[in-house]
Amino acid sequence: MTPADFTSDAQTILPELVELRRALHADPELGLTLPRTQQKVLDALEGLPLEITTGTRTSSVTAVLRGELPGPSVLLRGDMDALPIVEEANLDFASTNGNMHACGHDLHTAGLVGAAKLLSARKSELHGSVIFMFQPGEEGHGGAKIMLEEGLLSVAGEPPVAAYAIHVGPGPRGLFATRGGPVAAGSNQLSVTLRGRGGHGSQPHQTLDPVPAAAELVLALQSFVTRRFNAFDPVVLSITRMNTGDGAINVIPESVELAATIRTMSHESLAVLEEGLPRVIQGVAAAHELTADVSFETLYPVTVNDPAETDAALETMREIYGEQRVAVMPSPMMGSEDFAFVLDEVPGTFIGLLTSPPEMTAEETEWNHSPLVIFDDQVLGDQAAALAAIASKRTAS
């Protein structure tokens, strides 16, 4: 069984993958509870030689395919949840329920079903086991972490030796891209409340005004980022909220609330932030005789691709699709991905697949999370074949 064996099989099942994707797209669900999506996946997997379990805290589906030849287990992931976005794309199968698969998870799910079908058809030639991870709650709900806590890595009887996922995005249709090392940023959230003493705007000397301190704090946080971190280990901090309440214009507020999103590219920079940000905030507050409540929360760790697994995946994809359809990303992306929780436990790689319709110009192309974004589901065969080929080659090695 060679990687190229999957490509012709994938074209045979492409129509049913497109049909599944469009059914998912027309009926998107949010968060961790996706009963209709889960049922569509279960229906699509029916009849395959898989050991299927469903989650207790989420609508997850985990399926194990046991090959007939000895070998290790590997894991393939597809996320299933949508976003609370009203779709504006002009598609025959567009969502009308106020939610939208604006990040392409409908393709991820259908592509993973395709990989399960391709590998099941060659079960007699397959080494080891493949775990198919159908995950809810990727969009800010930590679904991967919950599945790990529910025993995802033990369902095959032994931990997987590698894990892989493919994520679609806009760009020249059919181009695969990834890189070794950090590939997506860690996502963190900072919340601050500066507390002083309010009063009349005409008598600021009788107050402890938190507003000037908040303005100073915004600058102090930006300076902290630009002066404490190596430019080649980037940290991006953006203050996204600043709230003084809804009091009268002539009233100095008692408190100011600030919030920020912070993206990191290493565990080392995260450690510096966790120690340094509260110290800077408390220092600015103390200088103005204020108190400060500080909350720093890590939502997703950095997504780090294992260099060896990534090189092997790139080699497999080049073998199937040629050099012209496989690229090495020059730098990580600053978006975040909760497949990071899996890659913290298992070496593997997170791969991008560009999927814009070829007739669309660059000016017409929208990015993920746009209400107008369009993904071309003709890539589903290539997506399924790539996942199947990477998994089968890894279990045989």
Side-chain angles (χ1 to χ4, degrees):
M1 180 167 53
T2 68
D5 291 337
F6 293 106
T7 56
S8 59
D9 294 350
Q11 291 308 306
T12 301
I13 65 170
L14 177 58
E16 60 190 272
L17 300 183
V18 169
E19 181 180 2
L20 172 60
R21 179 262 167 155
R22 296 186 179 187
L24 293 166
H25 189 91
D27 187 24
E29 297 177 285
L30 305 179
L32 297 168
T33 305
L34 319 173
R36 300 187 305 278
T37 302
Q38 182 188 57
Q39 190 58 54
K40 289 181 179 71
V41 169
L42 293 173
D43 291 345
L45 298 177
E46 187 174 1
L48 299 180
L50 302 170
E51 300 168 13
I52 296 177
T53 56
T54 56
T56 56
R57 293 161 57 193
T58 76
S59 298
S60 64
V61 177
T62 304
V64 179
L65 174 65
R66 299 190 186 277
E68 296 182 9
L69 300 174
S73 64
V74 300
L75 182 146
L76 302 176
R77 197 271 326 238
D79 38 3
M80 304 190 293
D81 57 321
L83 288 154
I85 293 174
V86 176
E87 183 161 5
E88 298 177 18
N90 185 22
L91 298 172
D92 294 340
F93 51 92
S95 167
T96 58
N97 68 5
N99 304 322
M100 181 183 176
H101 272 296
C103 204
H105 295 186
D106 48 340
L107 278 84
H108 303 168
T109 302
L112 187 58
V113 166
K117 289 177 176 288
L118 294 175
L119 289 165
S120 294
R122 295 179 177 271
K123 182 174 181 285
S124 63
E125 304 169 71
L126 178 66
H127 291 260
S129 301
V130 180
I131 303 166
F132 301 94
M133 174 189 179
F134 293 90
Q135 177 208 319
E138 193 281 328
E139 296 289 356
H141 300 273
K145 188 175 183 181
I146 294 173
M147 291 186 71
L148 289 166
E149 292 168 353
E150 291 191 340
L152 171 70
L153 301 184
S154 62
V155 292
E158 60 180 2
V161 297
Y164 310 97
I166 290 178
H167 197 299
V168 299
R173 188 181 71 182
L175 179 69
F176 293 89
T178 189
R179 70 190 305 273
V183 68
S187 177
N188 312 280
Q189 185 170 290
L190 175 69
S191 300
V192 180
T193 302
L194 293 175
R195 301 185 188 279
R197 184 172 64 244
H200 200 281
S202 66
Q203 302 289 319
H205 61 287
Q206 294 183 351
T207 72
L208 294 175
D209 188 350
V211 175
E216 184 176 319
L217 180 57
V218 171
L219 298 178
L221 293 176
Q222 298 297 331
S223 295
F224 179 80
V225 167
T226 59
R227 292 298 178 267
R228 289 296 307 274
F229 297 97
N230 190 321
F232 296 101
D233 183 14
V235 172
V236 175
L237 184 151
S238 296
I239 303 290
T240 54
R241 291 182 186 172
M242 198 168 181
N243 181 25
T244 62
D246 55 1
I249 292 176
N250 64 348
V251 173
I252 291 173
E254 180 179 314
S255 64
V256 176
E257 296 177 354
L258 298 91
T261 181
I262 308 170
R263 304 301 168 118
T264 54
M265 279 297 170
S266 72
H267 298 298
E268 292 76 17
S269 61
L270 178 59
V272 174
L273 287 167
E274 289 176 321
E275 183 278 329
L277 288 179
R279 178 166 42 79
V280 170
I281 294 164
Q282 296 293 351
V284 171
H288 292 267
E289 299 183 62
L290 309 175
T291 61
D293 299 328
V294 182
S295 171
F296 184 89
E297 182 182 5
T298 295
L299 304 177
Y300 293 130
V302 183
T303 305
V304 182
N305 283 349
D306 180 82
E309 294 293 346
T310 302
D311 287 345
L314 287 167
E315 179 185 345
T316 300
M317 291 185 293
R318 290 186 186 110
E319 184 177 340
I320 303 173
Y321 301 113
E323 290 279 351
Q324 73 280 2
R325 287 188 54 190
V326 180
V328 176
M329 296 166 56
S331 59
M333 60 180 182
M334 295 309 292
S336 299
E337 166 58 56
D338 85 344
F339 192 55
F341 290 115
V342 176
L343 294 183
D344 268 0
E345 302 290 334
V346 183
T349 193
F350 180 71
I351 302 162
L353 172 58
L354 306 189
T355 57
S356 294
E359 67 273 12
M360 292 184 71
T361 66
E363 292 74 21
E364 295 171 323
T365 301
E366 298 281 340
W367 193 256
N368 294 39
H369 292 216
S370 164
L372 294 168
V373 69
I374 295 176
F375 304 106
D376 190 337
D377 49 26
Q378 294 305 301
V379 302
L380 283 169
D382 290 346
Q383 178 187 344
L387 287 170
I390 291 168
S392 67
K393 190 172 181 180
R394 183 63 179 87
T395 57
S397 60

